[in-house]
Amino acid sequence: MPNARPFWKQPGYIIAQICTIFAIMAGVYWATFTGYKSVIDFHNIKYDRASYRLQSALESELLRNIGELEKHFDSWGAIDETNITGNLPSIDSSIWQSSRKNELIFSIPTSVVLGIGEFNKYTTRAIKAHSEQTISREDMMSVLITQRDKARGEILPTLESSRDALRSRLKQYNIDLN
């Protein structure tokens, strides 16, 4: 091969190899970036959907407890003190209790978490204290009405706002929440 030149003396070959190396590096970078972004988006969608469902469940439980209190408020006006002990509302906090150990609780606004905890604590404590006859019906009613009003005026609107934000983020990805 008398006409063969060493590759370092062929500038076209060297330029082609350098371009190939840069193209491969750019392709690998682009594929890695796109894959990583897809994984992050998938994780965020999954987390937001789970958070939305938890917030919906907590809202349902809180509304059910408020309804239970209001049902008893209406009937207590006609009942005398001697008959009310057996007719006390029961506060269901099963969803709240199970969500306390779930990492999704940190996706809920702090005021909602503290408010639901306070609602369950004070309403249950007041009902129990009245059934044990350590507080009067009026004191129990005062606590229950205060907690109901706080739940309706502060907790539920904040919870709905948080859920609306999640719903709008999930709509961007066409996620069905039903």
Side-chain angles (χ1 to χ4, degrees), residues 44-62:
N44 288 341
I45 290 168
K46 185 177 170 185
Y47 189 82
D48 285 350
R49 184 172 35 188
S51 179
Y52 179 87
R53 289 184 174 150
L54 175 62
Q55 290 182 32
S56 295
L58 286 171
E59 179 186 37
S60 294
E61 183 177 77
L62 187 58

Side-chain angles (χ1 to χ4, degrees), residues 25 52 62 66 68 83 95 100 128 136 169 171:
M25 288 173 45
Y52 179 87
L62 187 58
I66 290 170
E68 177 78 7
N83 294 333
I95 295 171
R100 288 177 30 193
K128 182 179 179 192
S136 67
R169 274 201 315 253
K171 274 189 175 182

Side-chain angles (χ1 to χ4, degrees), residues 98-164:
S98 64
S99 70
R100 288 177 30 193
K101 294 183 171 97
N102 189 326
E103 73 178 33
L104 291 171
I105 198 76
F106 297 111
S107 68
I108 301 172
T110 305
S111 62
V112 171
V113 173
L114 294 174
I116 292 174
E118 181 182 299
F119 176 88
N120 289 328
K121 176 181 171 184
Y122 289 132
T123 55
T124 304
R125 187 182 288 171
I127 292 167
K128 182 179 179 192
H130 180 69
S131 70
E132 295 171 349
Q133 299 177 348
T134 56
I135 64 170
S136 67
R137 177 172 80 168
E138 291 76 22
D139 290 342
M140 177 189 67
M141 292 286 288
S142 174
V143 170
L144 298 181
I145 289 170
T146 300
Q147 289 303 313
R148 180 210 49 195
D149 293 345
K150 185 174 181 183
R152 287 221 163 167
E154 297 172 22
I155 301 168
L156 286 172
T158 306
L159 187 56
E160 288 171 8
S161 172
S162 175
R163 279 189 31 233
D164 289 344

